[in-house]
Amino acid sequence: MTYSGDGSDYSRDYSDNHNTHGVIEAVWRIESARIIAVLTRMLRDVGLAEELAQDALVSALERWPSSGVPENPPAWLMTVAKNRALDHLRQSKLHWQKEAELTREIESQLQAAAPDPDAGLDDDIGDDLLRLVFIACHPVLSTEARVALTLRLLGGLTTEEIARAFLAPHATVAQRIVRAKRTLAEARAPFELPGADQLAARLGSVLQVIYLIFNEGYAASAGDDWLRPALCEEALRLGRILAELAPAEAEVHGLVALMEIQSSRAQARVDADGAPVLLLEQDRSRWDRLLIGRGLAALERAGQLGGGFGPYALQAAIAACHACALTPEATDWKRIAALYDALAQLAPSPVVELNRAVALAMAFGPAAGLELVDQLRAEPALQNYHLLPSVRGDFLAKLNRLDEARIEFERAAALTRNSRERTLLLARARACVRLP
């Protein structure tokens, strides 16, 4: 769904839905970001903007069941929300210094909105949404707060949904969102796009948040599920929107490419019981070729913009190597290892080095991977990272050092907080027990 339509598709789709509350929920999930973005531009207060947008939602919940779903639900919500904002501006005592200016602005907005409620959907909507993205991911906020606020404002998720997705207490997530709004207000964060000198750093924060949301869905860090598809879908939706709003940013397309290709494996990554299926054991006929095609196209777009691949595009190129291999044996592991070499130079980190070790092991043998992994054992950042002993256990098993491998798999199982992954790791540990 793009953000440039006239609302006619909504009218057709939603009028066929007899569950009015379901219709309202669907409209809100898709349209809430647009509405909040427009109100934030008008009010310069993201917290107040969300509150008044919620008022419009309440009005829909009160009126639509009896009056019926309007012909253009998004326009109806936008008009009601803007009217709430205009009423607030009229009643506010804080704008007295600009009373004449605001009066003229209010009158012009009322005049423009009155004859055609659809007009409210078109005024600078792209810019407003992009500004809202940068507000939700503002660097004055903690990473946890950025994630929660992004899902709340741009994803339309409720606090309860966000808490459930990240297995966090409802009160904790609610506090994060409240504090984030307060922090933005106290910092007087402007509702505007960052200047050219700040854009790269701020965009990096935005991409990091979307990537974190996707990763939590792709490999859940805790809980009973290996995957949380809703989070992957939400991150991919946000990435696609951002690619429309910032089409000249190569790394945006790089991240979208990465998420598209990774998402293509979702159906093959778990078995019928929800247990994890590792990459080399997956049925590749179940990989979604449409998503792979979209990912490859996004990666090509990133390359066409010039300047060389950034970290996300490099990871997408690695994912593309897997996607283009019809069998595990056809995988170009030497190219993957070379891409990880480039990624390690561009964005060095212990986790990148761990992944590079896997590529080296596949390309040149497990001894080559083990040599690098052993160098990483002293890394403070990996001391409680369950994938370090998991990867080391895999290399040791391939080298027939089964007793050592079993110890590593058991250690990895003790460190992970995901029950599905723990079961898999313990099974691998049992497989290393030598028969008498």
Side-chain angles (χ1 to χ4, degrees), residues 251-381:
E251 269 293 78
V252 174
H253 297 287
L255 178 57
V256 171
L258 175 61
M259 294 190 296
E260 298 274 16
I261 296 172
Q262 298 287 65
S263 295
S264 72
R265 304 179 202 154
Q267 294 302 314
R269 293 187 67 235
V270 292
D271 64 17
D273 297 321
V277 180
L278 299 179
L279 175 63
L280 298 182
E281 299 169 3
Q282 290 172 17
D283 178 357
R284 299 190 177 209
S285 68
R286 300 184 66 197
W287 289 3
D288 190 322
R289 307 314 297 185
L290 175 61
L291 287 176
I292 290 173
R294 293 184 64 154
L296 294 176
L299 183 59
E300 182 179 3
R301 176 64 176 152
Q304 290 172 344
L305 289 170
F309 280 172
Y312 295 113
L314 280 173
Q315 291 178 73
I318 292 167
C321 289
H322 294 296
C324 294
L326 297 181
T327 64
E329 296 75 22
T331 306
D332 189 348
W333 283 104
K334 289 184 178 179
R335 172 167 170 74
I336 292 175
L339 288 168
Y340 269 118
D341 287 343
L343 182 60
Q345 292 184 27
L346 191 62
S349 80
V351 173
V352 169
E353 288 297 306
L354 183 60
N355 285 311
R356 189 166 75 90
V358 174
L360 288 173
M362 295 301 296
F364 305 108
L370 184 61
E371 182 180 355
L372 177 54
V373 163
D374 282 345
Q375 296 172 21
L376 296 172
R377 296 176 75 186
E379 280 286 346

Side-chain angles (χ1 to χ4, degrees), residues 92-109:
S92 174
K93 297 179 181 179
L94 299 178
H95 73 289
W96 62 270
Q97 290 180 321
K98 296 186 177 180
E99 183 174 359
E101 177 186 339
L102 284 171
T103 299
R104 287 194 298 272
E105 181 180 344
I106 291 168
E107 289 175 351
S108 65
Q109 290 192 39

Side-chain angles (χ1 to χ4, degrees), residues 130-131 134-135 138-139 190-204 249:
L130 193 55
R131 292 186 189 104
F134 280 99
I135 280 286
H138 199 285
F191 187 61
E192 61 187 28
L193 297 179
D197 58 331
Q198 300 177 336
L199 183 60
R202 290 284 297 278
L203 182 62
E249 295 293 337

Side-chain angles (χ1 to χ4, degrees), residues 215-229:
N215 271 350
E216 184 58 30
Y218 188 75
S221 60
D224 297 326
D225 297 315
W226 175 241
L227 303 177
R228 293 190 187 132

